[in-house]
Amino acid sequence: MAEVIADLEGKSIILGLTGGIAAYKSAFLARRLQEHGARVQVVMTAAAEQFITATTMQALTGNPVYTSQWDTRVPSAMAHIDLSRGADAILVVPASADFMAKLARGAADDLLSTLCLARDCPLLVAPAMNKQMWGHPATQRNANQLRADGVVLLGPTSGDQACGEVGAGRMIEPDEVLEELVAFFQPKLLRDQRVLLTAGPTFEPIDPVRGLTNRSSGKMGYALARAAHEAGARVTLVSGPTALAVPRGVNRIDVETAQQMFDAVMATVLHAQIFIGVAAVADWRIREPSAQKIKKGRGSPSPVFEFVENPDILATVAALSNPPFCVGFAAETHDLDAQAQAKRHTKRVPLLVGNLAQDAIGADSSELIVYDEEGRITLGPADKLTLARKLIAEIAQRISS
Ligand code: CTP
């Protein structure tokens, strides 16, 4: 399992539960928030208590759970003020249709709705309901009102529902809520910038069942796509074959070969302000892949392949008349400084990020060396997401100056 990053360290989160079958997922969410360093204070509505007990939530968070505005455990007897004081965000998961309606009209008839009305911190809600309830004009009107009031809606998504139906209204998964919350707190260093990335290996066919590829896992490129999205950018990720999940909010275009990657990049690059080439692109492809599976025949010679060079995506983008800010990557096995600076010059990119292939490929953590015209700086060692956030900050700083 990937290492957990404490990217909510020092954050104090009020986790509000309202009445819905998805309330059981909040138990898992409470754990995940704490693993990421957050302090979690749970507040439940009476309806939520029909689905999951306060005891469960208390045991998971180690904090007393509050359910009533008349709770005498709060010293000032003003739970709605005391609990939200010092909170960095209120997160309502799940948010029922009824609770959204209350929020939209500013009702304050129980502890959680009063807390939301009296807050001076951001409010994020994850709707969860049956598709008819979500699709009802009243709920849609409430959702729009909440957005207009600055409330962040996380989801919902479409899928199987507890009632047996399939449709929109299903709550996003706890890990997705967590990803959204973590992103919410990241500095918006690339707000509204368009970022195009390549990631992963490419796959060059030999015949319908065989091909040439490399050991790139795609992890660094995917971490960068996530970090750019967290920083407020609109992100397109052109990805070779990987087993990785697409980060939330990132538009992924799947490709296999270097030529397909080149075509996908060229079709979108004119809109991009930043291009980051992280993919390990095959330098050559087989001139004529066989249309049929190549068979080994007794006594017949081993096949000999003729190779053609693939287009250099990064160099082509950097040579455009009005190029985006280009960042290249180089995984080298030796002479990293010399090879990386030489690559930066040949490909004419302002920034080239080097790492040692033996440290980088497939690993969850490594070190990055950033080369520019002034020299080199080292980022890390750290996990890839932390490195990606640091690199995004380096890029943002260069773009703004
Ligand atoms: N790159 C690219 N298109 C290619 C080859 C490489 O866009 N056809 C990009 C990579 O995504 C990376 C940078 O160029 O950002 C350097 O890739 P690398 O494979 O290290 O460089 P090469 O030019 O292929 O040099 P070599 O393999 O000889 O080290």
Side-chain angles (χ1 to χ4, degrees), residues 198 277-279 281-283 310-314 328-332 343 347:
T198 64
V278 199
V281 186
D283 290 320
N310 276 324
D312 190 313
I313 305 168
L314 178 62
F329 265 74
E332 305 291 346
K343 239 168 228 184
K347 306 210 181 202

Side-chain angles (χ1 to χ4, degrees), residues 264-329:
V265 166
M266 289 308 148
T268 38
V269 72
L270 291 182
H271 305 291
Q273 278 107 22
I274 299 168
F275 175 73
I276 313 177
V278 199
V281 186
D283 290 320
W284 303 279
R285 65 176 178 273
I286 288 164
R287 183 181 292 281
E288 278 182 34
S290 169
Q292 293 181 332
K293 185 179 175 196
I294 302 170
K295 304 296 284 182
K296 67 173 188 297
R298 280 197 188 91
S300 61
S302 308
V304 174
F305 300 111
E306 192 188 340
F307 289 93
V308 229
E309 199 168 319
N310 276 324
D312 190 313
I313 305 168
L314 178 62
T316 309
V317 171
L320 290 171
S321 59
N322 187 16
F325 183 86
C326 287
V327 182
F329 265 74

Side-chain angles (χ1 to χ4, degrees), residues 353 366-370 377-382 387 390-392 394:
V353 185
S366 62
E367 200 171 75
L368 297 181
I369 323 256
V370 180
I377 56 163
T378 303
L379 306 180
L387 288 175
K390 287 178 191 288
L391 183 57
I392 289 295
E394 291 292 329

